[in-house]
Amino acid sequence: MDPRVSNPVLSSLNIKPEDKIIFIQENSFADSNFIITHLIKQLLYDKSRACVLTLHNTVEHYQNVGKKLGYDLNQAIQKGEIRIIDPMEELVANIGLNEEDPRSRLLTCLYAALKTHIEQFLLQKEQPVYLIIDDLSHFLDLGLGIPAIINFTNLFINLTSDKNIFAVINSHVSSKSDLIVADSLHYICDLYISVSPLKTGKSSDVSGLMTIQRGEDENRYHFRTFDRGVKTFHPGESIYNLYK
């Protein structure tokens, strides 16, 4: 069965073939990682391929969450369905190649690694390839400047000019610099997903607010995270949906 039929998150997102660039903005203390883990579930079901740049969560994290959602990430990696790009491994592998600032060198190495993995995927057969970044804002934490990050992101997004390549970018926003990077992506994405904490504070029934914007259309959902998944529901319907 298509997981979108029975999965509240995937049903709410309703990813379409024309959603070439998907941007997930994580605001303040909210955690939007559940969107990426659910998207991976859908990608594996659809027989798509994915390159995941892990700047925030580890492979072990995705494996543990994936098992709860019904997929085995390690198995997918072994089968060549998913490729993980570890920024530290890429940087260490290229140390000493030139005198460039190691932080700037990191972006060069990561882009080269992404292109290599994509080209290998595309040689196999015509099928969707998703490029996933979790989480872009960590480049700012490493001391990289906004222009360098936006330039890297533009190169990354330009790859989606190929009909079979799609981009999924997650970025946390808690500072002015974070917001500048996020706004640049919000402006060009096909699907914008914002995950925020409740303005009224913590609730035992609601974990946060998810806003989904596609063009002029906007839908808002409250969500509640559980140990083995996430439930979404329209604002005001929390009791009905949680205990139905």
Side-chain angles (χ1 to χ4, degrees):
M1 177 187 292
D2 189 330
R4 281 171 291 204
V5 175
S6 58
N7 188 291
V9 175
L10 293 173
S11 177
S12 299
L13 295 175
N14 190 25
I15 302 299
K16 303 177 182 295
E18 57 267 30
D19 294 330
K20 295 282 287 178
I21 303 168
I22 301 171
F23 175 49
I24 307 162
Q25 180 172 320
E26 180 183 276
N27 299 302
S28 189
F29 297 104
D31 185 352
S32 65
N33 186 251
F34 69 90
I35 295 177
I36 293 179
T37 54
H38 280 76
L39 282 177
I40 291 175
K41 177 183 178 74
Q42 181 65 47
L43 299 183
L44 292 175
Y45 174 84
D46 290 338
K47 307 300 182 184
S48 299
R49 299 294 183 258
C51 296
V52 184
L53 175 54
T54 55
L55 294 169
H56 185 70
N57 290 295
T58 64
V59 175
E60 289 74 19
H61 165 82
Y62 281 106
Q63 171 67 8
N64 292 335
V65 175
K67 294 287 280 187
K68 294 177 181 179
L69 294 180
Y71 65 87
D72 190 321
L73 181 72
N74 287 336
Q75 187 177 78
I77 292 172
Q78 292 169 5
K79 289 181 177 179
E81 298 168 342
I82 289 182
R83 301 191 180 194
I84 302 295
I85 300 174
D86 185 314
M88 292 302 103
E89 287 184 5
E90 295 298 330
L91 184 59
V92 170
N94 288 277
I95 284 177
L97 291 184
N98 56 40
E99 299 301 320
E100 187 178 353
D101 182 335
R103 291 173 299 181
S104 298
R105 180 66 187 165
L106 174 62
L107 296 180
T108 305
C109 295
L110 292 179
Y111 181 70
L114 282 166
K115 280 200 67 176
T116 298
H117 287 308
I118 293 165
E119 289 166 357
Q120 291 172 351
F121 272 142
L122 294 178
L123 284 174
Q124 296 173 12
K125 55 184 175 180
E126 275 209 11
Q127 60 189 151
V129 178
Y130 282 78
L131 312 178
I132 302 174
I133 297 181
D134 172 33
D135 150 354
L136 190 69
S137 68
H138 282 304
F139 284 141
L140 287 167
D141 299 334
L142 291 173
L144 287 162
I146 293 174
I149 295 171
I150 292 179
N151 181 61
F152 171 81
T153 307
N154 287 338
L155 290 172
F156 180 84
I157 288 174
N158 285 342
L159 295 171
T160 63
S161 59
D162 186 296
K163 65 178 182 179
N164 291 317
I165 298 177
F166 301 77
V168 178
I169 304 172
N170 174 57
S171 193
H172 186 79
V173 173
S174 61
S175 70
K176 184 177 180 180
S177 296
D178 292 336
L179 186 59
I180 292 172
V181 172
D183 284 346
S184 70
L185 287 164
H186 188 182
Y187 180 73
I188 62 173
C189 69
D190 300 301
L191 178 63
Y192 171 71
I193 306 164
S194 172
V195 178
S196 306
L198 294 175
K199 291 182 178 180
T200 54
K202 292 185 179 180
S203 166
S204 59
D205 290 332
V206 182
S207 300
L209 174 69
M210 177 172 65
T211 302
I212 302 171
Q213 187 179 68
R214 182 183 282 107
E216 298 298 321
D217 296 328
E218 180 179 290
N219 291 292
R220 294 189 173 194
Y221 299 89
H222 278 149
F223 65 89
R224 170 77 185 276
T225 57
F226 298 90
D227 183 53
R228 304 189 71 84
V230 180
K231 191 170 183 65
T232 63
F233 41 91
H234 290 287
E237 298 180 338
S238 58
I239 294 178
Y240 172 79
N241 280 276
L242 284 173
Y243 301 106
K244 183 177 179 181

